[in-house]
Amino acid sequence: MKVPKGFFWAGMQAGIKPNRKDLALVYSDTPCSAAGCFTQNLAKAAPVLDAEKRLPADGIRAVVINSGNANALTGPEGLEDVKTVCEAVAKELQVGAGAVVSASTGVIGVRLPAHKIVSSAPALAASLKADPLLAAEAILTTDTRIKLGTRSVRIGNREVTLTCICKGSGMIAPSLATMIAVVATDCAITPPMLSVALRQAMRRSFNALTVDGDMSTNDCVFALANGKAGNAPIADPGSALDAFSGALDELCQQMAKEIAADGEGATKLLDVSVEGAPAEDVALDLAKACAGSSLVKAAIFGADPNWGRVLASIGARAGTAGYAIDPADARVMVQDVAVYDRAPLAYDASVLKARMREPEIRVTVDLRRGEGKAQAWGCDLSYDYVKINADYTSLIVTKPDGGVAKDDRLSNYSPTFKVKLLVDALEYIKKFSGTRCVIKYGGAAMVKESLKKSFCDDIRLLRAVGLRPIVVHGGGPEITRTLEKLGGKAEFIDGQRVTNASDLKVVEMVLTGSINTELVTLLNGNGIAQAVGVSGKDGGLIRARKLVQEGRDLGQVGEVTRVNRDFLEMLLQQGYVPVVSPVGLGEDGQSYNINADNVAAELAVAIGAQKLIYLSDVPGILKAGELIGQLTSADLRALIDDGTIAGGMKAKANSILRVLASGVPSVHLLDGRVPHSIIGELFTDNGVGSWIRA
Ligand code: ADP
Ligand code: MG
């Protein structure tokens, strides 16, 4: 991406938000002309109060922006905090204290933890690069996408570049602030001319934008111009200013559209053009009224070409403002299809409805009353907007150190949301109740104590809603650790452990003596003793013989020959959750260590399970680092053959092929390092890992 000469950006995590980048810096290596446009809200944030009185100005070098806290309605301390932040950043950049302006976005009414920004300033300055991406990420709040754009334009014989980062109007609650934009350009232009150009661009872009009509306390748009393009400085109106303005308009419009499309809960961008108005101002006002109408927005969400609502919103605004127009005389187009022209028109409703499912919806109104025309942007009004708005503020909590966090435990949601969630969940419960399901808990995924606990919580929940789980556990890493402690060494061939006779004692000790016991204890921790720990040797549950793999001797490693189905049935019938340690009783009377993936598969086949779930230490089956969400046996075989699947995954993949061929309808491979991934897979339509079917 082309960026203006002499500009550098940085973005990092300063701990204002719990887990995301929240601090950004835009810096020019030479002094800039700077201009700003600010919110008209009288409840202005402290950084806005500070920057507004200092711009337009010469000699500005940097803008520092934090997300996660708006520093609005924070009293005199808020202004002190702005000063502290600007001074700390200026010192780090070795520029004058007056050369830095700031902006903040996030929660209103909570004091800014300025000390976090101060202590992050050295790292922030040290990470400046000629790349705006991390800064664009750090200013986001409820946005779902980075908003970043660039334009180049020739002025005189020089190429001038403009780059904008901005964050949008995820106005999820009135207490959260909305948009911030910083345009950096290497154009040579005086502060007053930059201010004129910025004001004009605003009118045609960010001011023509509506998501939910709430005006933020923190909106601000900055423009910084450092002159490094070497064009003759623009000091007066004329063709050079027009060329610069044209590029700035375009860039700001692109950003405004991206903000609209990413509005809270939005599924579509709404683009309203009003033409034939008595004046441009009138056209803009009417276009905004239409784009902001809740009824129009709801119709757009429902893919309904409801021109009645379009004209009603325009008529209402024109009536209250006293504009000389007549909606009845207008022509309305939706997705370029004429739907009204001085009278309702006949159109193919199914064709138009299909076109209204596109991500961008154009509504055009010709008022036939003059030359004025304008465009405004908004988005549709979805169920999600209301759902999130109804619940969001109650989920934001202040932390003792001044940061904010989201506490989204179900108890903080509104009763309506909880009811909806339960109704959804009960549908899945109905579907899975009585289902037999074998779950293999991978050794690599069970290293963290907290994960073992959340795994056991999930199993208990599944049991409580009528699922019949059987747990098979691995123990690889722990076996390896114990062997090493005792002076031995782990050896693997194709993901299968090589086990000599003395190692086998250690294997049994760890698997049956330690891991199995621990899981059973955790599962029975709530006082209801439903988990029963069994080794494959108990009751001859798993009979085995020595595994011979491609002619190599793996020692006491076995493969399953038979399963004592009656024993397992008995446990299930009695309502127990069997927890199986993957050791088998040899047909020759010896003990064998069996790969747990293999044991899980054989048990699933033996009891006719509807599901087999592998919890491992990867998000699922990966190809070139990407998760494959759904695949068939044939896909899986191809991945084994082309070498994509290797190591420990190969034992799983072979077991999966075997169970699918034997009538188990679906196998899931999930990330056991993510808490509650079993619940996420079973209780959502798309699941969270890889889902493999025959
Ligand atoms: P577990 O204890 O769950 O059996 P393993 O280490 O035996 O864990 O098997 C999982 C490992 O398989 C992963 O950590 C990964 O390194 C390896 N693997 C090899 N190929 C793939 C693949 N295509 N997709 C995912 N994991 C793979
Ligand atoms: Mg393994």
Side-chain angles (χ1 to χ4, degrees), residues 430-657:
K430 195 171 79 192
K431 196 160 116 195
F432 292 127
S433 185
T435 297
R436 290 164 171 209
C437 170
V438 176
I439 300 164
K440 189 260 169 159
Y441 191 26
M446 45 200 297
V447 278
K448 248 168 93 182
E449 289 310 313
S450 61
L451 284 176
K452 273 188 220 167
K453 185 164 176 325
S454 87
F455 169 78
C456 290
D457 285 346
D458 288 359
I459 297 296
R460 279 211 300 265
L461 280 174
L462 294 179
R463 181 65 197 82
V465 301
L467 212 96
R468 298 292 173 82
I470 296 164
V471 176
V472 178
H473 60 82
E478 212 167 318
I479 295 172
T480 306
R481 261 201 314 274
T482 313
L483 277 174
E484 279 168 1
K485 242 191 257 165
L486 299 175
K489 194 172 154 285
E491 192 192 331
F492 290 87
I493 294 175
D494 259 350
Q496 296 262 19
R497 179 185 299 278
V498 179
T499 311
N500 60 38
S502 66
D503 287 353
L504 184 67
K505 282 209 163 39
V506 177
V507 169
E508 278 206 75
M509 186 176 92
V510 173
L511 286 174
T512 312
S514 168
I515 296 178
N516 193 278
T517 318
E518 192 190 353
L519 284 178
V520 170
T521 308
L522 278 172
L523 280 165
N524 291 337
N526 63 348
I528 305 169
Q530 54 195 13
V532 175
V534 285
S535 142
K537 288 173 19 185
D538 294 333
L541 175 61
I542 296 161
R543 305 304 297 263
R545 67 167 167 242
K546 188 175 162 72
L547 174 69
V548 181
Q549 191 166 281
E550 287 158 25
R552 279 170 299 195
D553 190 355
L554 300 168
Q556 288 303 110
V557 173
E559 62 185 339
V560 180
T561 49
R562 307 180 265 156
V563 171
N564 185 346
R565 185 173 160 271
D566 292 344
F567 177 43
L568 209 51
E569 278 292 347
M570 183 193 75
L571 291 174
L572 291 177
Q573 297 285 339
Q574 301 285 323
Y576 288 110
V577 177
V579 180
V580 181
S581 157
V583 180
L585 179 63
E587 306 281 357
D588 55 6
Q590 297 193 38
S591 297
Y592 287 97
N593 172 23
I594 311 173
N595 181 288
D597 300 332
N598 196 241
V599 170
E602 295 304 330
L603 294 185
V605 172
I607 57 143
Q610 281 96 327
K611 277 180 193 301
L612 170 60
I613 298 176
Y614 287 102
L615 284 175
S616 188
D617 63 342
V618 277
I621 293 176
L622 305 173
K623 184 175 181 165
E626 296 277 333
L627 171 72
I628 310 181
Q630 294 194 15
L631 56 169
T632 62
S633 297
D635 298 336
L636 191 64
R637 190 176 297 281
L639 293 174
I640 300 175
D641 291 344
D642 73 11
T644 304
I645 286 179
M649 191 54 65
K650 210 162 159 185
K652 279 182 241 300
N654 284 319
S655 300
I656 293 170
L657 290 176

Side-chain angles (χ1 to χ4, degrees), residues 276-284 369-373:
E280 190 193 327
D281 279 353
V282 173
L284 182 60
R369 285 294 183 281
E371 297 298 310
K373 62 176 182 190

Side-chain angles (χ1 to χ4, degrees), residues 241-294:
L241 181 63
D242 291 346
F244 177 74
S245 272
L248 185 61
D249 282 5
E250 247 185 66
L251 179 60
C252 291
Q253 274 184 17
Q254 179 199 328
M255 295 289 107
K257 284 167 80 165
E258 285 183 21
I259 289 176
D262 194 23
E264 188 58 65
T267 69
K268 294 169 196 164
L269 170 69
L270 170 59
D271 178 334
V272 179
S273 292
V274 170
E275 48 197 57
E280 190 193 327
D281 279 353
V282 173
L284 182 60
D285 196 27
L286 294 177
K288 273 162 78 172
C290 179
S293 152
S294 302

Side-chain angles (χ1 to χ4, degrees), residues 2 13 22 95 100 205 234 246 249 277 281 354 448 479 487 594 648:
K2 198 165 165 50
Q13 197 179 337
D22 48 21
V95 302
V100 178
S205 59
I234 304 173
D249 282 5
D281 279 353
K448 248 168 93 182
I479 295 172
I594 311 173

